[in-house]
Amino acid sequence: MFDFFWNLGSFIVALSILVAVHEYGHFWVARKAGVKVLRFSIGFGKPLFTWYDKLGTEYAISAIPLGGYVRMLDSRVDEVLEQDKLLTLDSKSVYARMAVAAAGPIANFLFAILALAVMYIVGVQNVKPVVGSVTTESIAFHAGMQPGDQITKIGGDEVASWQEVNFAVMSGLGEHRLDVKVIDERGQIAIRTMNVEGWKLDKRDVAPLTSIGITPFRPDITTELALIADGSAAARANLQTGDVILFFNQMPISSWTQFVELVQLAPNEQSVITVLRGDTKITLNITPDSREGAQGTTIGYLGVVPKQKSWPAGYIETRQYGVFDSILLGVQKTYALTMLSFEMIGNLITGQVSVKNISGPVGIAVGAGDSVSYGLIAFLSFLALISVNLGVFNLLPLPMLDGGHLMYYLIELIRKKPVSEKTQELGYKLGAMMLLALTCFALFNDVSRL
């Protein structure tokens, strides 16, 4: 229950920040263009808090925190006083209206640059992209990837973290080959060429690296207990931090994975566990608690966390830059994320990426909660990624979105006259139906992951 409220609160905070940034872009340019703004709302539905500025604009925090809007004076829908006719949106030039429509997505891109720049100024901690294992008969296997290979370049992109590797690999969708530059365990530079012709991300929740057969290196997990949850089966059995698991139901334990599998097979069953506590072997009775696992099966769990070995020297590095370099990196990363977002939309259309990978509010909420838990840098990275996605999504040429408005204005420029109100109204209805269908589909994907 705590996780639910934590994720919900993080989602509301993250979305409110990004919506405020997006709508402020529209608001600021509208004001500069001489358009009267009637309301600036964060959220939809009934306003919970309202206040006004000296120009008469109403600011509102509304009940449904799933978006926001800026309502501008428009003679097509409002009764306009004579003295306000030149303050309506529809009285402005088509270029001014295009600027107002584009300002929201542009604000999202600028915010992403700022968030990433702050990250690099504070310092970003990365794990070097060293391969831990390679799946037999996978794309990476046939390319000759080896455990211990440190990936330094993919295609034309230099990479220094697993996030950068992921993005570079995703950019390879639709290509015939990917050249991967590595430094092997002997310190030799090598090029591993991966044949990615026909490769697709067509399975739900399968990461790009997993899809091509690469598992990142992680320090081994020991069978020593590092944490015991209060009130758990382990706590009731008097297990203690520092205990090393030796046997479970007379089965010798050689790895943490083996131990977890044995416990999962014994939900609510009285069992026996033997541990090494200091120099003494202790045998205890224990009954694993139960919970629902995959495919609705019941599995056992104890409520313990194992100790992980330390990272080898040099595997974790902190990258920190000056203000100018941080801003430049922010611009470069935002551009790369924007291009990748457009590429992913294209891959969704062509079937290179399965629509099962689309996430909705629930997925974003979980991501927001996790990023907040990891600290400021992770949260800023999450905000930058979602801000870019929000900007790209709003540029799609769908009525109801900023891209739809820009499409109408472009047609107006070409035809020398506005698109008829009847056509626009039909477009808005179709756009609303498409967005509703997309939202329902994303929610279905979210729920199916729970």
Side-chain angles (χ1 to χ4, degrees), residues 97-426:
R97 283 177 278 144
M98 290 179 76
V100 172
I106 290 173
N108 283 124
F109 298 138
L110 292 175
F111 176 81
I113 292 171
L114 176 63
L116 292 169
V118 171
M119 278 176 48
Y120 289 119
I121 290 171
V122 174
V124 180
Q125 194 174 70
N126 290 319
V127 176
K128 285 185 177 179
V130 176
V131 176
S133 63
V134 179
T135 305
T136 304
E137 300 302 321
S138 64
I139 292 173
F141 176 85
H142 288 294
M145 296 293 294
Q146 299 290 327
D149 282 351
Q150 179 185 338
I151 302 171
T152 59
K153 190 174 184 179
I154 298 179
D157 299 324
E158 302 283 346
V159 293
S161 69
W162 281 115
Q163 183 186 61
E164 292 174 353
V165 170
N166 260 305
F167 289 157
V169 168
M170 289 170 68
S171 295
L173 280 166
E175 301 292 336
H176 295 292
R177 53 183 279 176
L178 272 181
D179 290 328
V180 182
K181 184 178 179 180
V182 303
I183 301 174
D184 65 22
E185 286 189 307
R186 297 170 297 172
Q188 301 296 312
I189 296 175
I191 303 295
R192 319 285 197 204
T193 299
M194 294 193 293
N195 180 6
V196 292
E197 186 173 6
W199 170 54
K200 297 180 180 181
L201 282 175
D202 54 1
K203 294 182 180 178
R204 176 183 295 165
D205 297 334
V206 176
L209 286 175
T210 303
S211 180
I212 63 173
I214 292 177
T215 300
F217 170 81
R218 293 287 184 272
D220 291 336
I221 297 174
T222 70
T223 56
E224 180 181 341
L225 302 183
L227 179 67
I228 297 174
D230 292 338
S232 65
R236 294 194 300 272
N238 198 32
L239 285 174
Q240 298 179 12
T241 57
D243 286 351
V244 177
I245 310 299
L246 299 178
F247 296 89
F248 185 79
N249 286 339
Q250 284 76 53
M251 288 287 293
I253 301 301
S254 59
S255 71
W256 184 257
T257 300
Q258 177 204 10
F259 174 61
V260 170
E261 290 174 351
L262 291 173
V263 171
Q264 289 181 340
L265 293 173
N268 301 316
E269 294 181 9
Q270 185 170 339
S271 304
V272 178
I273 189 169
T274 301
V275 301
L276 181 66
R277 184 174 296 169
D279 297 324
T280 306
K281 288 184 180 180
I282 298 175
T283 298
L284 302 168
N285 293 320
I286 192 167
T287 303
D289 292 326
S290 64
R291 64 184 174 193
E292 187 174 322
Q295 288 83 46
T297 57
T298 300
I299 60 174
Y301 74 101
L302 298 182
V304 294
V305 176
K307 183 177 181 180
Q308 188 178 49
K309 290 183 179 179
S310 300
W311 286 92
Y315 269 59
I316 297 180
E317 59 181 9
T318 299
R319 291 189 288 172
Q320 191 171 18
Y321 304 89
V323 174
F324 178 79
D325 287 338
S326 294
I327 294 172
L328 182 60
L329 276 170
V331 172
Q332 293 172 345
K333 295 296 183 183
T334 299
Y335 175 78
L337 285 173
T338 302
M339 293 300 100
L340 180 62
S341 297
F342 279 117
E343 287 174 12
M344 288 302 103
I345 291 172
N347 288 328
L348 282 168
I349 294 171
T350 60
Q352 292 289 119
V353 177
S354 171
V355 292
K356 295 177 181 179
N357 291 293
I358 296 175
S359 290
V362 178
I364 296 173
V366 173
D370 288 345
S371 65
V372 171
S373 300
Y374 290 134
L376 175 64
I377 299 302
F379 188 53
L380 286 174
S381 179
F382 175 81
L383 285 177
L385 176 61
I386 300 301
S387 190
V388 167
N389 287 330
L390 183 61
V392 168
F393 180 73
N394 272 279
L395 285 176
L396 296 178
L398 293 175
M400 296 287 293
L401 298 178
D402 299 325
H405 293 293
L406 289 170
M407 178 180 65
Y408 284 145
Y409 296 148
L410 185 60
I411 294 172
E412 181 178 343
L413 274 177
I414 296 171
R415 297 176 67 237
K416 306 297 183 184
K417 62 179 181 179
V419 176
S420 68
E421 291 187 20
K422 185 176 180 180
T423 301
Q424 290 192 48
E425 184 178 353
L426 177 62

